[in-house]
Amino acid sequence: YQRRVHGWRAVLMLGIPYVNVESRVLKERLRWMETKLQIRPEEFLSFDALRHASQCIGRVIRSKSDYGLMVLADKRFNRLDKRTKLPRWIQQYILPANVNLSTDVAVQVAKTFLLEMAQPWQRKDQLGKTLLRLSDLPDQPPAKRRAGADAAAAAPPVG
């Protein structure tokens, strides 16, 4: 379930989206992958389901200056074999203190996070810290770098 309004942004994963394994096309694909590529069907199905979950989770974050809450409400996300199949940018934010929480604690953690992230900030104050300047990019000609950084610093605040 996805929700994005001014006050909060969240994705709630209530399970792991496995595909229909009864599909004849999928069964044939799995058989081919096992014989030709030595990929076990269970490995592929798990990878594919977590790829779909990652795409859903990623919908809450749309830019470098964006933020959101990702709730993985399924015990299987506690398993290391599942979590390691998620992209690194998601794994790095799954903190041990925020795993396997009760509903009350999870709501309190979410409130604290969203209140902290919703504070106003100036784009110019974040350049070089959490946002890159054009001059930080290696392949930019010097004239473009300076003009781009000046334009970015003059941009209105986000929010």
Side-chain angles (χ1 to χ4, degrees), residues 9 61-67 117 121 123 126 130-131 158:
R9 307 123 186 262
I61 306 294
R62 287 307 196 183
S63 72
K64 177 82 173 165
S65 59
D66 209 352
Y67 66 92
M117 295 304 295
W121 61 279
R123 183 181 202 88
Q126 295 301 314
T130 59
L131 297 173
V158 174

Side-chain angles (χ1 to χ4, degrees), residues 21-48:
V21 293
E22 296 303 315
S23 160
R24 285 187 294 161
V25 173
L26 178 62
K27 284 181 180 180
E28 191 56 41
R29 181 178 298 150
L30 292 173
R31 190 171 316 138
W32 181 85
M33 287 175 30
E34 189 169 26
T35 31
K36 301 289 185 185
L37 304 174
Q38 287 73 48
I39 297 175
R40 293 189 351 246
E42 310 80 48
E43 285 180 28
F44 174 78
L45 291 171
S46 181
F47 165 79
D48 191 53

Side-chain angles (χ1 to χ4, degrees), residues 72 74-83 99-100:
L72 307 177
D74 190 306
K75 286 183 184 182
R76 293 173 289 184
F77 284 111
N78 286 341
R79 294 178 36 192
L80 193 58
D81 68 313
K82 299 292 185 229
R83 280 203 320 254
V99 174
N100 206 21

